[in-house]
Amino acid sequence: MMHGERPGFQGRSDDSLAWLGTAPIPAAPYHDPAWFELEREAVFRRSWLQLGHVCELPDIGSFIRREIEALNVSLLIVRGRDGEIRAFHNVCTHRGTQLVEEESGRRSTFSCPYHRWAFGTDGALLAAPDFDRFFVDKADCALPRVALDICGGLIFVHLGTPDKDLRDDLGPYATMLDGFPAAQATTFSEYVYEIDANWKLTYDNFQENYHLRFIHPRSGAPAVGEDNPFGYPVKMGFHGPHRTQTIWTNPDPAPKPVQAQSFGRAARFAMADGTAGPHSRDYLALFPNFFILGSPAQPFSHTVWPIDARRSRGVIRLYWKGEDDCASRRYAREYAMASARDIHAEDRDVIEAGQRGLNSGALKHIHFQTQEALCRHLFTAVDERVRAYRADLAGTAPRPVSRAEAMA
């Protein structure tokens, strides 16, 4: 039995997670700039990345611009005349000028501000002044296209050459995602923050409940109880580099009156809207940097973007179906976002304190317990990608390595 666990709580056993290993994890990947440079190419240029939602592109010509700072990439995501959503590099094929500075909008064409090359919503070059003086065909000057796929209403892109389409990559989690409230969303609330912490350290905070009792005694109290004082998940699952867990709920949570009123209203609206599905306590962590909850009362997603080895940016969204058609619905949604921000505010200082400690170089290793298995799994998936990338650079196939070597 784990220290602090009560006999009534049936947590994951060490044996069921033995395949993940138990060795200490090297600390350098959480602060070392050289490792971060490898992650940029090995992880973020070679993975499906979640960038938005179809509700942001309601009409033909609707577009959103997305920056992937770690890769120096600006993307233009557009709904074309045929209704298809496509992604392009936000770069004129004449001399590289970025076409769009706005975060979102609607256009029938995209014109370069420098020399007025004009592109259609399908990325094709439509016109360019004095084009007969160039030594190239218009067909060869289309905007560089980026692989894009959609699952559960969520937009993903891949900046490399994907070896699997999105649904194959997600496996059974694609079907789960289709059943989450976000799949039916028509609008969302958003909160963006920056934090002085490595993206993995930031992300890990939201995929373990070991800290819940200590950091969230006020906001997290309903999620713990006598039989499960740490609020550990009921179960965990893994598919490739992705993972899931089912959140434990105290059968007698005794929430505060305002909380009970607000989430009760949200739950009733979700039932009426048809967004209360079978995954209300499920959490999906999709590699590398996105996770989402199936809760209809607080349909929460969080993407953690790296800025550099020791800084990251988070995008928190709550996805909703329908507009605020009454004061009661507006109140429930505002409370859901306010409570999400409150919980995050409780986390921020300890995450940054952890980063400062790691930056000192005092630790060569960090440690994960069984109930932090999702954290270990993320590190292992990143480590495998980095090793494969290094092997590609060397022109060799990655040799099998022992667990001791992998953790060195």
Side-chain angles (χ1 to χ4, degrees):
M1 183 185 304
M2 285 189 165
H3 176 69
E5 249 181 47
R6 305 295 179 89
F9 172 64
Q10 301 299 315
R12 288 296 295 264
S13 69
D14 292 347
D15 291 344
S16 69
L17 296 167
W19 60 276
L20 275 173
T22 58
I25 300 294
Y30 293 85
H31 66 88
D32 179 32
W35 180 273
F36 177 72
E37 289 302 312
L38 292 168
E39 284 182 346
R40 285 172 40 164
E41 298 299 323
V43 174
F44 287 90
R45 203 179 294 276
R46 297 185 173 197
S47 301
W48 285 103
L49 304 174
Q50 198 280 323
L51 281 183
H53 193 277
V54 294
C55 71
E56 298 178 80
L57 303 163
D59 304 310
I60 290 173
S62 294
F63 71 89
I64 53 176
R65 176 178 58 83
R66 291 289 186 267
E67 305 296 309
I68 304 177
E69 195 167 352
L71 298 176
N72 297 313
V73 165
S74 177
L75 296 180
L76 186 58
I77 302 174
V78 188
R79 188 180 290 276
R81 292 180 179 275
D82 57 0
E84 183 179 349
I85 297 175
R86 302 176 177 87
F88 308 98
H89 284 280
N90 180 26
V91 52
C92 178
T93 51
H94 175 209
R95 283 164 55 184
T97 307
Q98 291 191 336
L99 297 173
V100 172
E101 293 185 357
E102 306 100 295
E103 290 187 3
S104 63
R106 184 180 178 187
R107 296 187 187 179
S108 58
T109 61
F110 297 91
S111 179
C112 176
Y114 201 176
H115 299 96
R116 295 298 186 268
W117 282 34
F119 300 86
T121 56
D122 61 354
L125 176 63
L126 301 178
D130 300 326
F131 193 78
D132 57 343
R133 296 179 180 272
F134 286 88
F135 306 97
V136 65
D137 292 331
K138 281 185 179 179
D140 296 326
C141 295
L143 297 177
R145 192 163 175 179
V146 174
L148 180 148
D149 211 339
I150 296 167
C151 185
L154 298 162
I155 298 170
F156 294 76
V157 300
H158 196 298
L159 291 163
T161 303
D163 54 6
K164 295 180 181 178
D165 66 30
L166 177 63
R167 298 192 75 90
D168 285 343
D169 184 71
L170 297 180
Y173 298 162
T175 302
M176 285 182 66
L177 202 55
D178 287 336
F180 274 37
Q184 301 183 53
T186 59
T187 187
F188 60 91
S189 307
E190 183 177 88
Y191 162 47
V192 180
Y193 68 92
E194 291 194 8
I195 187 168
D196 291 332
N198 179 271
W199 71 275
K200 298 184 299 301
L201 193 71
T202 302
Y203 191 94
D204 280 347
N205 178 79
F206 300 95
Q207 57 176 358
E208 56 90 353
N209 285 1
Y210 188 32
H211 73 285
L212 190 64
R213 185 176 67 163
F214 312 112
I215 304 302
H216 305 297
R218 177 180 62 85
S219 60
V224 302
E226 185 175 345
D227 289 339
N228 186 0
F230 292 105
Y232 288 148
V234 174
K235 62 182 178 180
M236 302 176 188
F238 304 88
H239 175 77
H242 314 295
R243 63 210 79 89
T244 186
Q245 63 180 350
T246 299
I247 298 169
W248 184 82
T249 300
N250 187 346
D252 185 22
K256 293 179 174 62
V258 172
Q259 185 179 59
Q261 182 188 65
S262 302
F263 284 123
R265 290 185 185 188
R268 289 193 294 273
F269 282 125
M271 292 291 293
D273 294 340
T275 58
H279 302 293
S280 63
R281 293 189 295 127
D282 288 334
Y283 163 116
L284 284 176
L286 304 182
F287 187 83
N289 63 332
F290 175 72
F291 66 80
I292 186 168
L293 299 178
S295 166
Q298 196 171 36
F300 178 97
S301 76
H302 192 175
T303 310
V304 182
W305 292 103
I307 298 175
D308 58 35
R310 302 176 181 184
R311 292 187 301 145
S312 53
R313 179 180 295 112
V315 179
I316 292 173
R317 284 186 168 186
L318 273 67
Y319 284 106
W320 306 110
K321 181 178 179 181
E323 298 301 322
D324 297 340
D325 56 359
C326 65
S328 185
R329 189 188 295 268
R330 176 67 179 272
Y331 169 75
R333 292 179 177 182
E334 290 288 348
Y335 182 86
M337 175 55 85
S339 64
R341 293 184 69 156
D342 283 350
I343 294 171
H344 176 251
E346 294 171 348
D347 288 312
R348 186 184 187 105
D349 286 348
V350 291
I351 297 172
E352 293 188 329
Q355 188 65 52
R356 291 194 299 272
L358 290 170
N359 291 348
S360 72
L363 298 182
K364 300 305 177 187
H365 294 90
I366 61 175
H367 306 276
F368 291 131
Q369 58 126 313
T370 305
Q371 296 295 341
E372 295 171 293
L374 272 65
C375 304
R376 184 181 290 275
H377 183 258
L378 173 62
F379 173 81
T380 301
V382 170
D383 183 69
E384 289 174 352
R385 297 292 183 98
V386 169
R387 288 179 181 275
Y389 175 65
R390 281 172 161 166
D392 285 350
L393 291 179
T396 61
R399 67 177 180 83
V401 295
S402 68
R403 175 56 57 180
E405 287 178 300
M407 295 297 105

